[in-house]
Amino acid sequence: MIIARGIGELKNALRSAGGSVGFAPTMGALHAGHLSLVERAKKENEFVVVSIFVNPAQFSAGEDFEKYPRKEEADIALCRAALVDLLFIPKTEEIYGEDEPAIRAPSIGGAIYEGKIRPLHFDGALTVVMKLFNLIKPQRAYFGKKDAQQLWLITKMAKSFFTDIEIIPCETTREISGLALSSRNAYLSESEKNEALKLSSSLLEASKLIKKNETRSLAIVQAIGEVLKPLTIDYIAIVDRDFKPIDTIKKGETIILIAARVGATRLIDNMWI
Ligand code: PAF
C-alpha cells in the first residue's frame, strides 16, 4: 500500500494505477462501515484509493472538529489489511488555499434536515469531495447510505458538474445490537450506547408497522417518536428519494430519516423502504 501525504506523491502513485479506480473518502477513525466501502470498491475496481482527511470546512462553529477521533496508526493498519492500494492522508494546507472558490450546496436540499441543524456543513462536505474527485479522478466513489442526505447531494453534485463518476451507495453497517456504526459512537459512554439503541429500535418499530400495512407517514413518525423518548429529537422525517416529505409511504421510494441527541452526541440513522 502506498501512503501519499502530498499531492505530488498522490499523482505519482495514481500513475501506477492500472484499470478502474474506486475511491472511498473518509475522515478516518475507520470502522467496519468504512471497510465495507473498501471491500465493495475492491470487488468493482482494479485500484482502490482511500482518503483520510478530517475536513474542517464541514464542521460548523461549536461542533466537534477538535475532538473528532483521529487514529492514524490504526487506520493505516486497517487499510493495509483491507488491501487498499493507495491511502491519501493530506494536511489541511494541501487541500485548502486562502480565499478560494467553493461549492455551494443546493439552496433547498442543502438547508433541510442535517443542513438546517449544521449550517454550511454540506457546502464544506461537497467542496472537499469535489476537490478529492478532481485529484483522484476515480471511475467510482463509494458512500454510506447512513449519511443519506450527503449521499443524495454528492450524487446530484457528481451529475451537475458532469464528473462521469459513478456514485455507489453502500448499505449501513450495524453492530449486532442494531446500532449504526459511526466514528462518533466513540463519544458514547456505556449507558449512552444503550440509549443510542433507541434510534435503530425506532426504525425497527417503523418497519414492523409498515409490514402490517401502515402507510401513513404521520402514524410512523408518532411511533418512532414514542420509541425515541426521552432523547432530544432533531427531526423525524419521511421523504421520497428526492428528500421531499411524503404523506404516504411507498415501497422503493421512501426514506425514513431520524436525528437525535444522546447526551452531547448527535446521532443520525435512516431506513430505506
Ligand atoms: O462522510 C464523511 O466521512 C465525510 O463527510 C466525507 C465524505 C469523507 C467528506 O469529508
Side-chain angles (χ1 to χ4, degrees), residues 25-27 34 53 55 58 68 121 125 128-129 143 147 150 154:
T26 81
M27 297 208 299
H34 298 112
F53 180 61
N55 172 32
Q58 70 186 76
Y68 195 85
H121 166 66
V128 81
V129 168
F143 294 88
D147 293 303
Q150 168 175 278
I154 287 171

Side-chain angles (χ1 to χ4, degrees), residues 135-232:
L135 283 170
I136 292 157
K137 299 187 175 58
Q139 274 67 50
R140 300 184 187 86
Y142 296 79
F143 294 88
K145 283 165 112 176
K146 172 163 171 291
D147 293 303
Q149 194 176 357
Q150 168 175 278
L151 167 63
W152 172 60
L153 292 172
I154 287 171
T155 308
K156 268 169 97 77
M157 174 178 77
K159 194 163 170 238
S160 302
F161 286 84
F162 309 107
T163 66
D164 285 336
I165 298 169
E166 196 185 341
I167 306 299
I168 313 279
C170 299
E171 292 306 322
T172 299
T173 307
R174 296 180 183 278
E175 287 186 358
I176 295 170
S177 65
L179 182 68
L181 294 190
S182 159
S183 304
R184 289 192 168 95
N185 291 351
Y187 301 149
L188 300 170
S189 66
E190 272 313 305
S191 65
E192 285 176 336
K193 236 179 151 186
N194 264 335
E195 285 291 281
L197 290 180
K198 289 191 159 74
L199 276 85
S200 52
S201 307
S202 73
L203 292 173
L204 198 62
E205 179 61 21
S207 100
K208 282 184 193 155
L209 291 174
I210 293 163
K211 277 197 188 115
K212 286 186 195 152
N213 295 324
E214 178 59 85
T215 58
R216 293 167 304 154
S217 295
L218 193 62
I220 299 292
V221 167
Q222 276 166 353
I224 290 175
E226 279 304 313
V227 180
L228 288 178
K229 269 181 192 165
L231 301 184
T232 306

